[in-house]
């Protein structure tokens, strides 16, 4: 059985007894084709299941009306919100979004960049793995704009839209101090990217401003598991293992400030197994504002990230790049918001 053939403009033209040029102009709503003819052509195109060839259209118009988006891991709730927000905002402006995931792999990122260049996208919104920039320089050389999301690559001299992670790390640690903790452990992923480094910097500043030392044992780096398992944003088990070792000998009252809400779940299990109460014996502060944070018991204090604002701002900057002359790159960092709940002595369960 022969595979069904894609419907073409010629098929519609032959069915209606008109020229291919008339069909093309009718589907494009050109005034040179009468209204009734346009209606007939569109109705027949729908009946025959015609789908426009976007690649051919981009060759004619010189624009694909498509933006590429390269993300490290779409299962990360923050990035999932970004994808949704960007797709909606792109659609409002007549663009489609072509998504590719790298899983924190440089090889995957290079393949994604090559594919986007081949497809002729108009611009690229990218969360980079921050290992090398030569594959992104090819876009600049080709006149294809880049907007970096959440992670900076200074040598690219591109727009950056993201979170002020220094502020987020600072407010999380400072809050734990204000609630009475004097031994504050910082659980952060062992990943060499700017967002992680910025959160660590914020933690260090908060400790310094509070007159508390950053001792070697208080900085706990959690091994990255995202490189080993696809579509896994974080693994609470490693945070659980490391926090359990700390709790056995640590002074109280103490606090755990986690670089993401998943790590905080590991601390919750440690406290439960040790017969310790949150927040009476251990304060816990997460990061990310993941959907489960209000529903765990006790509810989790966390730093919420402004995904919707970042999505709109990033797409807007891309559209400006596409529609304007050369301009200096812009850096926009949105402040995160500390949401205080029961895990650090706030209200709620």
């Amino acid at each position: 059985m022969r595979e069904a053939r894609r419907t073409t403009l010629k098929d519609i033209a032959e069915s209606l007894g008109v020229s291919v040029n008339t069909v093309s102009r009718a589907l494009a709503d050109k005034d040179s084709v009468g209204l009734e003819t346009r209606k007939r052509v569109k109705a027949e195109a729908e009946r025959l299941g015609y789908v426009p060839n976007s690649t051919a259209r981009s060759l004619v118009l010189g624009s694909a009306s498509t933006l590429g988006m390269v993300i490290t891991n779409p299962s990360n709730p923050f990035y999932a919100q970004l994808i949704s927000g960007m797709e909606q905002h792109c659609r409002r402006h007549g663009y489609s979004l072509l998504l590719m995931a790298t899983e924190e792999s440089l090889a995957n990122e290079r393949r994604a960049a090559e594919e986007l260049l081949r497809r002729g996208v108009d611009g690229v919104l990218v969360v980079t793995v921050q290992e090398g920039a030569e594959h992104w320089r090819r876009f600049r050389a080709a006149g294809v704009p880049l907007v970096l999301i959440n992670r900076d690559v200074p040598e690219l001299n591109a727009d950056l839209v993201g979170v002020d992670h220094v502020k987020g790390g600072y407010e999380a640690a400072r809050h734990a101090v204000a609630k009475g903790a004097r031994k504050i452990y910082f659980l952060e992923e062992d990943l060499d990217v700017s967002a992680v480094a910025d959160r660590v910097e914020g933690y260090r500043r908060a400790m310094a401003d509070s007159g508390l030392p950053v001792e070697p044992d208080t900085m706990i780096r959690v091994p990255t598991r995202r490189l080993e398992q696809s579509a896994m944003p974080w693994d609470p088990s490693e945070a659980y293992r490391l926090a359990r070792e700390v709790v056995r000998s640590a002074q109280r009252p103490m606090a755990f400030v986690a670089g993401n809400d998943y790590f905080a779940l590991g601390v919750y299990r440690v406290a439960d197994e040790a017969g310790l109460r949150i927040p009476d014996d251990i304060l816990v502060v997460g990061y990310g504002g993941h959907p489960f944070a209000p529903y765990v018991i006790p509810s989790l204090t966390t730093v919420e990230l402004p995904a919707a604002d970042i999505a709109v701002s990033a797409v807007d900057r891309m559209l400006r790049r596409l529609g304007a002359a050369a301009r200096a790159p812009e850096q926009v960092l949105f402040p995160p918001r500390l949401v205080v709940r029961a895990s650090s002595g706030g209200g709620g369960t």
Side-chain angles (χ1 to χ4, degrees):
M1 183 176 180
R2 195 173 73 175
E3 185 177 351
R5 183 174 61 85
R6 179 176 181 146
T7 300
T8 66
L9 295 178
K10 184 179 179 181
D11 295 328
I12 302 171
E14 290 179 349
S15 177
L16 295 174
V18 298
S19 70
V20 171
N21 189 40
T22 296
V23 171
S24 177
R25 286 184 287 118
L27 291 176
D29 270 326
K30 298 293 186 182
D31 291 337
S32 56
V33 180
L35 180 59
E36 288 304 316
T37 301
R38 276 183 274 166
K39 288 180 179 178
R40 286 178 58 226
V41 169
K42 289 178 181 179
E44 189 66 6
E46 184 174 355
R47 186 184 74 80
L48 294 176
Y50 173 72
V51 178
N53 187 324
S54 59
T55 301
R57 181 176 183 272
S58 69
L59 291 174
V60 174
L61 299 178
S63 170
S65 294
T66 301
L67 300 179
M69 183 175 186
V70 180
I71 209 87
T72 53
N73 195 313
S75 67
N76 178 331
F78 170 62
Y79 289 144
Q81 292 176 58
L82 277 184
I83 293 168
S84 177
M86 288 181 180
E87 195 280 329
Q88 291 179 44
H89 202 50
C90 282
R91 193 186 327 128
R92 283 194 288 267
H93 290 276
Y95 283 83
S96 58
L97 194 65
L98 179 58
L99 176 66
M100 296 195 172
T102 65
E103 305 294 350
E104 298 289 1
S105 163
L106 177 59
N108 288 346
E109 183 173 281
R110 284 172 173 162
R111 281 192 289 269
E114 183 67 29
E115 178 67 12
L116 292 173
L117 269 177
R118 188 182 70 81
R119 291 185 179 233
V121 297
D122 297 302
V124 181
L125 303 144
V126 56
V127 180
T128 77
V129 300
Q130 293 189 304
E131 293 182 49
E134 69 283 352
H135 47 294
W136 297 122
R137 289 195 188 96
R138 294 178 61 194
F139 286 82
R140 302 300 296 273
V144 179
L146 297 173
V147 174
L148 303 178
I149 311 296
N150 209 39
R151 298 179 182 179
D152 195 13
V153 182
E155 57 263 43
L156 288 177
N157 198 34
D159 290 327
L160 169 68
V161 182
V163 179
D164 186 346
H165 289 293
V166 174
K167 178 178 176 62
Y170 182 92
E171 291 194 357
R174 189 75 167 175
H175 173 70
V177 173
K179 287 295 183 177
R182 290 299 175 264
K183 187 78 169 180
I184 300 175
Y185 296 90
F186 192 71
L187 281 165
E188 182 55 89
E189 186 173 22
D190 188 14
L191 191 64
D192 187 18
V193 296
S194 60
V196 170
D198 287 348
R199 284 194 293 269
V200 171
E201 175 63 22
Y203 161 76
R204 291 184 177 278
R205 289 184 188 179
M207 297 294 282
D209 288 351
S210 303
L212 298 175
V214 177
E215 300 169 359
D217 67 323
T218 59
M219 181 61 65
I220 304 173
R221 286 306 185 105
V222 181
T224 295
R225 291 293 180 237
R226 284 185 281 170
L227 304 181
E228 300 172 7
Q229 184 175 350
S230 175
M232 180 70 180
W234 293 285
D235 187 348
S237 65
E238 286 296 329
Y240 160 76
R241 178 180 63 80
L242 294 169
R244 184 175 57 182
E245 295 174 4
V246 168
V247 166
R248 289 172 179 167
S249 58
Q251 69 185 60
R252 297 181 182 81
M254 63 178 174
F256 282 91
V257 174
N260 65 74
D261 291 344
Y262 286 91
F263 290 171
L265 294 182
V267 179
Y268 271 51
R269 180 175 174 181
V270 169
D272 182 65
E273 291 179 351
L276 300 174
R277 295 170 301 172
I278 299 174
D280 297 334
D281 301 309
I282 302 178
L283 301 175
V284 183
V285 181
Y287 197 95
H290 296 336
F292 61 78
Y295 299 102
V296 294
I297 299 176
S299 56
L300 177 62
T301 292
T302 185
V303 177
E304 289 189 347
L305 308 181
D309 293 335
I310 293 170
V312 170
S313 178
V315 172
D316 282 348
R317 271 155 184 75
M318 175 59 71
L319 295 177
R320 290 174 195 165
R321 288 288 171 194
L322 293 171
R327 54 194 292 173
E330 300 173 329
Q331 185 174 103
V332 180
L333 298 180
F334 287 89
R337 182 172 70 98
L338 178 70
V339 180
V340 178
R341 298 192 180 98
S343 70
S344 64
T349 303

